[in-house]
Amino acid sequence: MSYLLALDQGTSSSRAIVFERSGRIVAMAQQEFAQHFPQPGWVEHDALEIWQSQLATAQAALRQADLRASDIAAVGITNQRETTVLWDRRTGQPLHHAIVWQDRRTEPFCAELRAQDLTPMVRAKTGLLIDPYFSGTKLKWLLDHIPGARARAERGELAFGTIDSWLIWNLTAGDVHATDVSNAARTLLFDVQRNRWDEELLALMEIPPALLPEVRPSSGDFGRVAAQHLGGEIAIGGVAGDQQAALFGQACFRPGMAKNTYGTGCFMLMHTGTQFQSSTHGLINTSAAQTTASPEFALEGSVFVGGAVVQWLRDGLQIIPNSGAVQSLAESVPDAGGVMFVPAFTGLGAPYWRAEARGAILGLSRGSTQAHIARAAVESIAFQSAALLQAMSRDAHAAGSAPLQELRVDGGACVNDLLMQFQADLLGIAVVRPRVIETTALGAAYLAGLSCGVYTGLDELSAQWQAERRFEPSVDRNRAAARMAEWDHAVRQVTAP
């Protein structure tokens, strides 16, 4: 049983990938699901549709690989983080649509907490800022707005979970209500230094403890997939939030190693080892995927709209037929012609944290074309990521750490050579694309493989990582600094009172 099945539940689609022990992809299935936008700034998913789509892709991947459940050593789960589900323990039915990580509806409550000067306390315990991004305030909103939910929660009738917990519950037919440290760390309810739910934070958010899943290390026992789902029982051996899973899949196991994932959003993480390193430059500290009970940490910066800007060009402006067409359109002009695109559709994340900001296309002239807008959209992904790395470098310098030597990249948009080269030019360091770019799913598979003995340890996984291409900086640092100054000016225009 040298095969591993990774379930990769993302913001816009569910995927399942079968890996060989070597990390080679044997089969992959993917299914998109509906996005719901009931009000401006609100984003929801149907949790049952997520479960059904994830199960369907797992079944399809096994069929495609011509494998049975008995051929799979273990299942690993990775998931969109912070997205919040509340369900009935008896029926397994959600009480409401899942509230997605992008959702901003709880900003008024977050503003109240910030006004009470609670940010230092929250940050010291969780490593996070007080922001609608995280799960705790979403859960409070559900309890406050669903009739009778709070009383039922206090009686132990309801269960809360991020998407990993929701999938574990369904895969095990309700036998296991658990999460891992990397997902628990995204709730605003979890003390990352003690690795436990925090009573003070639960009281602050008015969250009954009976709702909460058990927190376990990322590699370990999460129960068994019920036989009716995949034709036989399979151990669930690894669970991690998507960005921590990608950090693991990129073999960034040592302090100072960093990766950036280019997905719906962009997420840059730098491993800081056992050091809880607070940021003074707009980043957050989060739990890394853990193979033991000992805490490990990472600095993280989150861009809310990364690859989603390309989806908007496709679905909103309808200037490209599919996402893959953006590179050729952007490359049809030598530059963006002075156009700057700040895609703050749901506010700006790190290092700005401006929930009220909204998107803007600046610098338009009579000569501006669809191609210029497309190129500016692609460049906006790199500009936002460069701002993250600048903040990360300042924090690393303040902590006495060595400067970053390279950035490992993954996610759907990293196949765009134009974007990767522009990213290296802005950063002034090598951008390295691995041979296996499905590193989020690979990280989940690695965690599962470690738990069941497919792999002997981290050294074996480090040796297995291979680069596909290195993008070296090709412009001088003065030019790169000038471009970043243009970006900073555009951001100031968007965030001006």
Side-chain angles (χ1 to χ4, degrees):
M1 295 194 303
S2 60
Y3 296 100
L4 296 161
L5 174 62
L7 306 183
D8 183 359
Q9 205 301 297
T11 307
S12 56
S13 68
S14 297
R15 295 190 301 167
I17 303 179
V18 178
F19 290 97
E20 278 187 338
R21 184 180 187 280
S22 66
R24 184 180 73 87
I25 293 175
V26 177
M28 176 165 53
Q30 180 168 344
Q31 187 173 316
E32 291 192 0
F33 54 87
Q35 309 291 307
H36 301 274
F37 309 100
Q39 294 185 32
W42 292 27
V43 189
E44 297 180 354
H45 291 158
D46 182 334
L48 285 175
E49 186 182 7
I50 284 177
W51 157 238
Q52 291 156 2
S53 65
Q54 189 65 81
L55 179 60
T57 60
Q59 294 167 339
L62 289 181
R63 284 196 305 271
Q64 188 185 131
D66 195 23
L67 296 173
R68 295 168 299 182
S70 57
D71 298 314
I72 304 298
V75 172
I77 297 172
T78 183
N79 55 284
Q80 55 165 314
R81 302 172 303 171
E82 299 94 23
T83 295
T84 300
V85 187
L86 183 65
W87 69 92
D88 185 306
R89 288 182 182 271
R90 184 180 60 82
T91 67
Q93 293 295 305
L95 274 67
H96 191 277
H97 274 169
I99 302 182
V100 180
W101 59 272
Q102 298 162 312
D103 191 282
R104 310 302 292 173
R105 76 184 66 184
T106 64
E107 171 56 25
F109 177 64
C110 290
E112 291 177 18
L113 297 180
R114 291 191 292 264
Q116 296 172 43
D117 198 29
L118 292 170
T119 296
M121 180 273 287
V122 170
R123 184 149 201 169
K125 290 174 180 285
T126 68
L128 309 177
L129 301 172
I130 298 174
D131 191 85
Y133 180 18
F134 306 109
S135 309
T137 61
K138 301 179 194 297
L139 177 56
K140 176 178 168 28
W141 189 95
L142 290 170
L143 294 174
D144 288 344
H145 288 82
I146 300 172
R150 188 172 295 282
R152 294 187 65 199
E154 289 171 350
R155 292 195 298 269
E157 297 174 11
L158 306 182
F160 150 74
T162 44
I163 293 298
D164 59 308
S165 296
W166 171 241
L167 292 179
I168 292 167
W169 175 277
N170 283 285
L171 286 166
T172 63
D175 282 349
V176 178
H177 183 212
T179 188
D180 90 300
V181 288
S182 70
N183 279 293
R186 312 299 295 187
T187 61
L188 276 180
L189 305 172
F190 188 72
D191 186 324
V192 295
Q193 299 192 68
R194 295 189 300 158
N195 264 1
R196 56 184 289 183
W197 300 114
D198 185 84
E199 298 84 354
E200 186 177 7
L201 295 172
L202 292 173
L204 184 67
M205 305 280 180
E206 300 178 280
I207 306 298
L211 280 173
L212 302 174
E214 179 187 348
V215 183
R216 303 178 181 180
S218 309
S219 181
D221 180 10
F222 289 88
R224 300 184 70 82
V225 178
Q228 68 261 29
H229 295 316
L230 299 176
E233 290 191 355
I234 312 174
I236 304 173
V239 176
D242 51 11
Q243 303 315 315
Q244 289 96 333
L247 189 71
F248 203 85
Q250 287 276 32
C252 294
F253 305 135
R254 299 191 309 277
M257 298 184 74
K259 69 88 197 174
N260 195 28
T261 297
Y262 298 81
T264 303
C266 290
F267 302 89
M268 189 178 294
L269 273 72
M270 181 174 72
H271 208 294
T272 60
T274 57
Q275 179 183 4
F276 183 82
Q277 181 181 323
S278 294
S279 171
T280 57
H281 296 95
L283 303 179
I284 58 178
N285 193 287
T286 195
S287 294
Q290 296 171 198
T291 57
T292 69
S294 300
E296 293 184 48
F297 303 103
L299 278 176
E300 176 175 336
S302 305
V303 170
F304 293 155
V305 177
V309 72
V310 178
Q311 295 173 330
W312 183 75
L313 295 180
R314 180 194 67 190
D315 302 333
L317 284 191
Q318 298 182 350
I319 64 174
I320 52 173
N322 55 69
S323 296
V326 71
Q327 181 171 339
S328 59
L329 180 58
E331 286 181 332
S332 69
V333 289
D335 54 49
V339 177
M340 297 292 290
F341 194 153
V342 183
F345 299 148
T346 55
L348 285 171
Y352 311 105
W353 296 106
R354 298 292 296 268
E356 78 286 358
R358 288 296 176 264
I361 301 175
L362 308 165
L364 293 170
S365 69
R366 286 289 297 271
S368 300
T369 67
Q370 292 179 345
H372 292 111
I373 292 172
R375 188 165 185 122
V378 171
E379 290 182 350
S380 76
I381 303 172
F383 278 126
Q384 293 178 96
S385 296
L388 291 182
L389 189 119
Q390 287 180 347
M392 204 165 277
S393 297
R394 294 186 190 108
D395 281 328
H397 178 74
S401 304
L404 202 63
Q405 299 299 311
E406 67 177 27
L407 180 67
R408 296 184 175 185
V409 297
D410 53 69
C414 86
V415 300
N416 187 319
D417 292 348
L418 173 69
L419 172 59
M420 293 299 98
Q421 185 58 57
F422 187 62
Q423 188 72 86
D425 291 343
L426 288 180
L427 297 179
I429 60 174
V431 168
V432 187
R433 187 167 61 202
R435 183 162 295 177
V436 179
I437 65 168
E438 301 292 350
T439 53
T440 302
L442 184 61
Y446 280 169
L447 289 164
L450 284 170
S451 75
C452 66
V454 169
Y455 304 113
T456 57
L458 300 184
D459 289 343
E460 181 181 359
L461 297 179
S462 292
Q464 194 162 289
W465 186 91
Q466 291 182 306
E468 180 264 329
R469 180 170 173 182
R470 292 176 67 90
F471 296 85
E472 300 287 351
S474 63
V475 301
D476 67 68
R477 302 314 302 145
N478 289 333
R479 176 59 180 156
R483 293 307 316 273
M484 285 304 298
E486 293 172 17
W487 169 256
D488 291 339
H489 177 70
V491 170
R492 285 195 300 272
Q493 289 181 275
V494 168
T495 56

